[in-house]
Amino acid sequence: MSLLIGIDVGTTHCKGGVYDYQGKECAFLKTDTQIRWDCAGGAVIDANTLWESVCFLVKGLTDKVNPKDIDAISVASMAEAGVPLDRHGQPLYPIICWFDKRSQPQSDWWVKNFGPRFVFEITGVVPSYKYTLTKLMWLKAEHPQIITKCCTWLCVADYICYLLGGKKVMNKSLACRTMAFDLTKDAYSREMLEVAGVPHQIMPPIVESGQVIGSVSALAARETGLLQGTPVVTGGHDHVCGALATGILTDEYALDSSGTAEAVIVALNSPRLDWEIGEKGLTVGHHVMKDMYYLMGGMSASGASVEWFKSFVEGKKKENRPGISYNTLMSEAANFDPFSTGLVFVPYLRGSGAPWPDPSRKGAILGLRDYHGQAHVTRAILEGVSFQLRAAVLAIQEVLGHQLDHLRVTGGGAKNKMWLQLKADITGKHFEVPQVEEASTLGAALLAGVGAGVYENGKQAAHSVYRVKETVFPDKEKHRIYVKAFEDVYVPLQKILGEVDRLITSSHLE
Amino acid sequence: MSLLIGIDVGTTHCKGGVYDYQGKECAFLKTDTQIRWDCAGGAVIDANTLWESVCFLVKGLTDKVNPKDIDAISVASMAEAGVPLDRHGQPLYPIICWFDKRSQPQSDWWVKNFGPRFVFEITGVVPSYKYTLTKLMWLKAEHPQIITKCCTWLCVADYICYLLGGKKVMNKSLACRTMAFDLTKDAYSREMLEVAGVPHQIMPPIVESGQVIGSVSALAARETGLLQGTPVVTGGHDHVCGALATGILTDEYALDSSGTAEAVIVALNSPRLDWEIGEKGLTVGHHVMKDMYYLMGGMSASGASVEWFKSFVEGKKKENRPGISYNTLMSEAANFDPFSTGLVFVPYLRGSGAPWPDPSRKGAILGLRDYHGQAHVTRAILEGVSFQLRAAVLAIQEVLGHQLDHLRVTGGGAKNKMWLQLKADITGKHFEVPQVEEASTLGAALLAGVGAGVYENGKQAAHSVYRVKETVFPDKEKHRIYVKAFEDVYVPLQKILGEVDRLITSSHLE
């Protein structure tokens, strides 16, 4: 009994790690999250397939360590996605991905009838197609029989915990991404649920992260290789689990959780629901640490912009053209002076986030000349995404009323040295890279440890495992050039391009 | 004695054709124009290498037909490019390509000190880095010894005619692209040359197109396989030679000369120098028909936008990825409803032309979402280029005061049926595709025929050869959608994007 297991069900991959109490990785595996795209741009995950992926993953881990040594298991996951279950606990509909825009009309309805401020001051988030509540409203409108049959709605991490042998509960950090949780009352918002016409009884009891909610069942034990009876502990929102594992427990420094999407997160001691926060596209919610909150600013297409461009230039596979390696793309983009390509990339491939939130905003490549090639665009994409990070960090600083001096960076974006240096040069911040790359998985394992009593609390857990691998410092001269480019070009462009996007949107249905 | 030979020295290819009096092609060859790019984006052609290419080409043609049957030879060429010769007729500097921007400062100087209107009302063109005069000013500033040693400046077509055995002359259609020709006085503008500080004596005598200016020399005969003594006839500006071959001799219909660059041309009976024409980015000059003029609107990156995108997605060759075929790119782009990609491409990879002329304008891809792939962008490029064509046609109609009902289309753009249909749908015009694809080459041959007395004049020459292969008609419903998109999106975008480009330009040196 000296190991903890954490699962992270992400948008692109499911990951699982086994760690000792000091956070040393004893085993790690990942597998693709199998997203099904429909022709209208929708994206869903089959709940049963997802469970099979998790079982496959845990089975792989329990083959590598002695299952007897595992104290407990917990799960982190993508937020704002979940599954409706019937009275037998069977899924009634696939998991609709957070970035699937089918419930945009429901979000528009909230904006039109109540306004973003009303919703933010209750829930800490502004209306969006992303959140559970608009997705439930869409289900009710399009598939009313599903809501009729639905006994319980579970967010992804909670669904996996339930299948492992836990109870049907909702952990607070994911509850805060439903748009149905009242942060002030620390309970579901009856008002939000009623206005939405969503039956209150389908929302399961709310529990803190890091609580034991059952133990691995005989069935789950067979499928995962875990010992029957291993404690199952409530996990949480992946970015926030990452914040726990990197010791983001104050507002002195921030996590830069840099994957397909990117989020900047600081911890707060109390929920702040001033409208200036919501207006900037920032969100507020429960931390996975008891009695703590977070302030988060994000963008939907950070790594996704690089991934998009890689697929874009690769094109369809029918001409048997081999793929392009990330390394080639990145190394070609390395040899430019700051802001020297003549190009500006606006990274709103999935709408814009903090501090200029607008789901209808679009991506753009500006400044094109006939001599521009892939290397120029790759460089412009990395610069554009980093400008957007700077904008989010500035917005968070403004809300906090103090500077952030450094950020701790995790996820895929932490692995590319050139991009990290660019982030440092553009934001002017120090970027600390932790020894553990997969912070959300480790964060889930820490919550398992809190539940199992290994750690006294989240704080002690974080202090037990957080170690710095390296720190990347900004180049002062490059920073000066980038700040000027940000102020003279990137920020003024926003307003103008809002106009451009409105023109394009007005003539297209998405 | 029943054949005519025409040469067309283009930006991408040198072409040569042998035709009978009815315009039937008896032999045709083409070879690459060998452009040398320097690292700063400049582009030059070595004059001796160019002559070798032409000799190789003509040699190939004279191998296929009996040189005794050739009545005369003439040459069309890219405009706004030329070569300074010493007193022995040797090149002192390579040919600077028309799209090479090194003389932008000299162009700016004209705009600042005299304004575009002053220049237009004399020359029919507004100041640009493209024209001979700014390039001569650049040579004078950067390489004064070349101007000191220079005895004669020859435009490309005239240079080839000179080497064939002609005299050092300048044909009127190319003289009109020097920015040093006074259209009202029908002679060089002493004022323009003096202000520019370019010695008047380096400009050779001006002659009409279609005049015998010598005969093939013994040396040129050896190198080309032509018979010594074959008449050498003045040719002209490639687009305008194309206008001759397609019978563009009135302002009733227009030529759409659609290659790397694209130009819309109608014929005029007198030069019109009202500022409303220059302001729209249209130019006026001598036709290759005696006593005729033309009105022209163009864009620098039409086919060049497609070529750019093809190279862009192909990327560098180092990963041994095979190229992408035009057919693949084009066929993928075929299956979209009008203006349905959600993307707008602005085709200013080499600055903007008529009716919103501005060399500092840039290209853009707008409206990007994560589901956009190569097919969407290819489609958006073809639509964007066609919107720009529509804008140029509307500007010409406004100047003429009447509608153009149809266009005759030549060049690479005439070969792609889908693109032609798109042009028809977007402009609402009928597009007539002539039987002879390479109109500039045929136009040069017709001028050779005029010089040799085969035809009474250009008009008779044109009527002897022009035949329609097919006509493409607009789809009314698609036209309606595109007109709306043009008016609601493409035109309003121009003003906004001007602002965007100014922001980007202000922070970059090109």
Side-chain angles (χ1 to χ4, degrees):
Chain A
M1 303 294 263
S2 59
L3 298 175
L4 300 164
I5 184 164
I7 305 296
D8 175 21
V9 183
T11 309
T12 315
H13 294 110
C14 291
K15 286 161 273 191
V18 181
Y19 304 89
D20 70 13
Y21 298 167
Q22 284 72 47
K24 193 173 154 279
E25 191 181 285
C26 305
F28 187 85
L29 285 172
K30 72 175 177 180
T31 179
D32 285 349
T33 304
Q34 292 177 41
I35 294 181
R36 238 170 44 215
W37 300 85
D38 72 24
C39 49
V44 299
I45 300 166
D46 180 76
N48 294 320
T49 309
L50 183 66
W51 169 240
E52 282 164 22
S53 298
V54 171
C55 289
F56 172 81
L57 204 63
V58 180
K59 191 87 189 62
L61 294 172
T62 52
D63 282 349
K64 293 189 177 191
V65 299
N66 188 339
K68 284 184 189 163
D69 290 339
I70 296 174
D71 295 302
I73 183 166
S74 185
V75 185
S77 78
M78 65 181 101
E80 306 118 17
V83 55
L85 301 178
D86 68 12
R87 60 201 176 92
H88 309 293
Q90 290 302 310
L92 290 160
Y93 199 81
I95 297 161
I96 304 170
C97 290
W98 56 271
F99 54 85
D100 178 307
K101 295 178 82 173
R102 70 184 76 197
S103 56
Q104 183 68 48
Q106 285 74 24
S107 170
D108 293 342
W109 182 87
W110 276 101
V111 171
K112 192 173 158 230
N113 290 285
F114 292 86
R117 181 173 184 159
F118 173 87
V119 175
F120 179 79
E121 288 176 347
I122 295 172
T123 65
V125 300
V126 297
S128 163
Y129 60 84
K130 280 196 291 190
Y131 299 116
T132 295
L133 198 62
T134 56
K135 285 181 172 153
L136 281 168
M137 288 167 75
W138 178 87
L139 273 174
K140 194 170 174 231
E142 301 294 324
H143 303 283
Q145 76 288 3
I146 287 176
I147 295 297
T148 311
K149 283 187 199 159
C150 177
C151 276
T152 315
W153 172 271
L154 289 182
C155 295
V156 172
D158 296 318
Y159 174 62
I160 300 297
C161 282
Y162 160 65
L163 291 182
L164 283 168
K167 291 187 199 67
K168 289 179 195 155
V169 300
M170 188 177 291
N171 77 81
K172 270 193 191 169
S173 70
L174 287 175
C176 292
R177 308 304 284 187
T178 60
M179 205 176 103
F181 190 82
D182 187 322
L183 276 168
T184 311
K185 294 188 183 147
D186 205 31
Y188 289 118
S189 165
R190 285 203 165 266
E191 191 173 10
M192 291 296 295
L193 287 167
E194 268 161 33
V195 169
V198 169
H200 189 273
Q201 63 272 20
I202 72 168
M203 303 306 274
I206 286 176
V207 293
E208 299 280 348
S209 298
Q211 305 294 309
V212 177
I213 51 158
S215 60
V216 171
S217 66
L219 178 67
R222 269 202 306 281
E223 297 190 41
T224 60
L226 291 165
L227 286 198
Q228 187 180 347
T230 305
V232 176
V233 176
T234 43
H237 182 173
D238 50 7
H239 287 313
V240 190
C241 287
L244 174 66
T246 51
I248 304 298
L249 308 171
T250 79
D251 63 5
E252 301 284 300
Y253 36 82
L255 173 64
D256 172 19
S257 183
S258 165
T260 303
E262 186 158 358
V264 185
I265 305 167
V266 294
L268 299 176
N269 288 320
S270 58
R272 285 187 53 186
L273 297 170
D274 341 334
W275 177 229
E276 67 151 327
I277 296 174
E279 207 172 13
K280 287 187 166 76
L282 301 170
T283 59
V284 176
H286 265 283
H287 204 294
V288 292
M289 275 275 290
K290 199 164 178 309
D291 298 328
M292 285 209 93
Y293 298 82
Y294 64 77
L295 178 65
M296 184 176 346
M299 53 179 144
S300 301
S302 165
S305 291
V306 180
E307 288 159 28
W308 167 78
F309 187 62
K310 183 173 175 292
S311 307
F312 180 85
V313 293
E314 282 173 341
K316 290 191 183 163
K317 294 294 190 287
K318 63 184 168 191
E319 293 198 55
N320 294 322
R321 307 182 81 225
I324 294 173
S325 77
Y326 262 108
N327 285 347
T328 303
L329 215 56
M330 289 294 189
S331 69
E332 281 183 4
N335 304 315
F336 288 97
D337 289 330
F339 205 57
S340 69
T341 60
L343 293 178
V344 178
F345 176 77
V346 181
Y348 301 156
L349 300 176
R350 294 175 179 169
S352 63
W356 307 295
D358 184 349
S360 72
R361 288 295 312 277
K362 293 169 179 72
I365 303 174
L366 304 166
L368 280 170
R369 287 290 187 190
D370 54 3
Y371 53 77
H372 283 124
Q374 292 177 8
H376 300 86
V377 174
T378 309
R379 176 73 177 203
I381 287 174
L382 295 175
E383 288 183 345
V385 168
S386 306
F387 278 138
Q388 201 60 38
L389 175 66
R390 176 179 170 81
V393 170
L394 291 182
I396 287 175
Q397 286 185 165
E398 207 177 314
V399 168
L400 295 177
H402 65 252
Q403 298 275 317
L404 294 165
D405 290 328
H406 73 262
L407 287 90
R408 295 177 177 176
V409 59
T410 63
K415 292 175 196 167
N416 185 291
K417 191 67 191 283
M418 187 256 291
W419 190 2
L420 268 182
Q421 186 63 55
L422 208 55
K423 283 180 171 185
D425 293 344
I426 289 180
T427 59
K429 308 296 178 192
H430 303 177
F431 278 76
E432 238 175 71
V433 185
Q435 275 185 348
V436 174
E437 277 176 359
E438 301 291 350
S440 298
T441 318
L442 175 59
L446 293 186
L447 290 174
V450 169
V454 171
Y455 310 111
E456 205 173 308
N457 54 32
K459 193 170 177 182
Q460 198 213 327
H463 285 307
S464 304
V465 303
Y466 186 70
R467 271 174 291 282
V468 179
K469 190 168 78 180
E470 66 171 327
T471 304
V472 178
F473 298 95
D475 175 297
K476 275 189 185 158
E477 175 55 18
K478 290 180 178 168
H479 179 55
R480 197 190 57 72
I481 296 168
Y482 276 126
V483 168
K484 195 166 152 43
F486 181 78
E487 285 169 5
D488 293 354
V489 182
Y490 196 77
V491 175
L493 269 183
Q494 297 308 319
K495 204 173 168 183
I496 309 175
L497 289 174
E499 191 79 15
V500 169
D501 289 346
R502 266 188 297 282
L503 270 175
I504 295 177
T505 304
S506 68
S507 63
H508 290 94
L509 296 173
E510 280 215 297
Chain B
M1 302 295 262
S2 59
L3 298 175
L4 300 164
I5 182 165
I7 306 295
D8 174 21
V9 183
T11 309
T12 314
H13 294 110
C14 290
K15 285 160 274 190
V18 181
Y19 304 88
D20 70 14
Y21 298 167
Q22 283 72 46
K24 191 172 156 280
E25 191 180 285
C26 306
F28 187 85
L29 285 172
K30 72 176 178 181
T31 179
D32 284 350
T33 304
Q34 291 178 42
I35 294 182
R36 238 169 45 214
W37 299 84
D38 74 23
C39 49
V44 298
I45 299 165
D46 180 75
N48 293 320
T49 309
L50 182 66
W51 169 241
E52 283 164 22
S53 298
V54 170
C55 290
F56 172 81
L57 203 63
V58 180
K59 190 87 189 60
L61 294 172
T62 51
D63 281 349
K64 294 188 178 193
V65 298
N66 188 341
K68 282 184 189 163
D69 290 339
I70 296 174
D71 294 302
I73 183 167
S74 185
V75 185
S77 78
M78 66 182 99
E80 306 119 15
V83 56
L85 301 177
D86 69 11
R87 61 201 175 92
H88 308 293
Q90 289 301 310
L92 289 160
Y93 199 80
I95 297 160
I96 304 170
C97 289
W98 56 271
F99 54 87
D100 178 307
K101 294 179 82 171
R102 70 185 76 197
S103 57
Q104 183 68 48
Q106 284 73 26
S107 170
D108 293 341
W109 181 88
W110 275 100
V111 172
K112 193 174 157 228
N113 289 285
F114 292 85
R117 180 173 184 160
F118 173 87
V119 175
F120 179 79
E121 288 177 346
I122 295 172
T123 64
V125 301
V126 297
S128 163
Y129 60 84
K130 281 197 290 192
Y131 299 116
T132 296
L133 197 63
T134 56
K135 285 182 171 152
L136 281 168
M137 288 167 75
W138 178 87
L139 273 173
K140 195 173 175 226
E142 301 295 324
H143 303 284
Q145 75 289 2
I146 287 176
I147 296 297
T148 311
K149 282 188 199 159
C150 177
C151 276
T152 313
W153 172 271
L154 289 182
C155 296
V156 171
D158 297 316
Y159 174 61
I160 300 297
C161 282
Y162 160 64
L163 291 181
L164 283 169
K167 290 188 200 65
K168 290 180 195 154
V169 299
M170 188 177 292
N171 78 81
K172 269 191 191 171
S173 71
L174 287 174
C176 291
R177 307 305 285 186
T178 59
M179 205 176 102
F181 190 82
D182 187 322
L183 275 169
T184 311
K185 293 189 182 144
D186 205 31
Y188 289 118
S189 164
R190 285 205 164 264
E191 191 172 10
M192 292 295 295
L193 287 167
E194 267 162 33
V195 169
V198 169
H200 189 271
Q201 64 274 18
I202 72 169
M203 304 305 274
I206 285 177
V207 293
E208 299 280 349
S209 298
Q211 304 294 309
V212 178
I213 51 158
S215 61
V216 171
S217 66
L219 179 66
R222 269 201 306 283
E223 298 190 39
T224 60
L226 291 165
L227 285 199
Q228 187 180 346
T230 305
V232 176
V233 176
T234 44
H237 182 173
D238 49 8
H239 287 313
V240 190
C241 287
L244 174 65
T246 51
I248 304 298
L249 307 172
T250 78
D251 63 5
E252 302 282 301
Y253 37 82
L255 173 65
D256 172 18
S257 182
S258 167
T260 304
E262 186 159 357
V264 184
I265 304 167
V266 292
L268 299 175
N269 289 319
S270 59
R272 285 188 51 186
L273 297 170
D274 341 334
W275 177 229
E276 66 150 328
I277 295 174
E279 208 172 14
K280 287 188 166 76
L282 301 170
T283 59
V284 176
H286 265 282
H287 204 294
V288 292
M289 275 277 288
K290 198 164 179 307
D291 298 328
M292 284 209 94
Y293 298 83
Y294 64 77
L295 177 64
M296 183 176 346
M299 53 180 143
S300 301
S302 165
S305 291
V306 181
E307 288 159 28
W308 167 78
F309 186 62
K310 183 173 176 291
S311 306
F312 181 84
V313 293
E314 281 173 342
K316 291 190 183 163
K317 294 293 188 288
K318 63 185 169 191
E319 294 197 56
N320 294 323
R321 307 181 80 227
I324 294 173
S325 77
Y326 262 108
N327 285 348
T328 303
L329 215 56
M330 289 293 189
S331 68
E332 281 184 5
N335 304 316
F336 288 97
D337 289 330
F339 204 57
S340 69
T341 62
L343 293 178
V344 177
F345 176 77
V346 182
Y348 301 157
L349 300 175
R350 294 175 178 169
S352 63
W356 308 294
D358 183 348
S360 73
R361 289 295 313 276
K362 293 168 179 70
I365 303 173
L366 304 166
L368 280 170
R369 287 290 187 190
D370 54 2
Y371 53 76
H372 283 124
Q374 292 177 9
H376 301 86
V377 175
T378 308
R379 176 73 179 203
I381 288 174
L382 295 175
E383 289 183 345
V385 167
S386 306
F387 278 138
Q388 202 58 39
L389 175 66
R390 176 179 170 82
V393 170
L394 291 182
I396 287 176
Q397 286 184 166
E398 208 177 312
V399 168
L400 295 177
H402 64 252
Q403 298 274 319
L404 294 164
D405 290 328
H406 72 262
L407 287 89
R408 297 177 175 176
V409 58
T410 63
K415 293 176 194 166
N416 184 291
K417 190 68 190 282
M418 188 256 291
W419 190 1
L420 267 183
Q421 186 62 56
L422 209 55
K423 283 180 172 185
D425 293 344
I426 289 181
T427 59
K429 308 296 178 192
H430 303 176
F431 279 76
E432 234 175 74
V433 186
Q435 273 186 348
V436 174
E437 277 176 0
E438 301 291 350
S440 298
T441 317
L442 174 60
L446 293 186
L447 290 174
V450 170
V454 171
Y455 310 110
E456 205 173 310
N457 52 34
K459 192 169 177 182
Q460 198 215 326
H463 285 307
S464 305
V465 303
Y466 185 71
R467 269 175 292 280
V468 179
K469 190 168 78 179
E470 65 171 327
T471 304
V472 178
F473 297 95
D475 174 297
K476 275 188 186 160
E477 175 55 17
K478 290 181 178 169
H479 179 54
R480 198 191 57 74
I481 296 169
Y482 275 126
V483 167
K484 193 166 155 42
F486 180 78
E487 285 169 6
D488 293 354
V489 183
Y490 196 77
V491 175
L493 270 182
Q494 297 307 319
K495 203 173 170 183
I496 309 176
L497 289 173
E499 192 78 16
V500 169
D501 288 347
R502 267 188 295 283
L503 270 175
I504 296 177
T505 304
S506 68
S507 63
H508 290 95
L509 296 171
E510 280 215 298

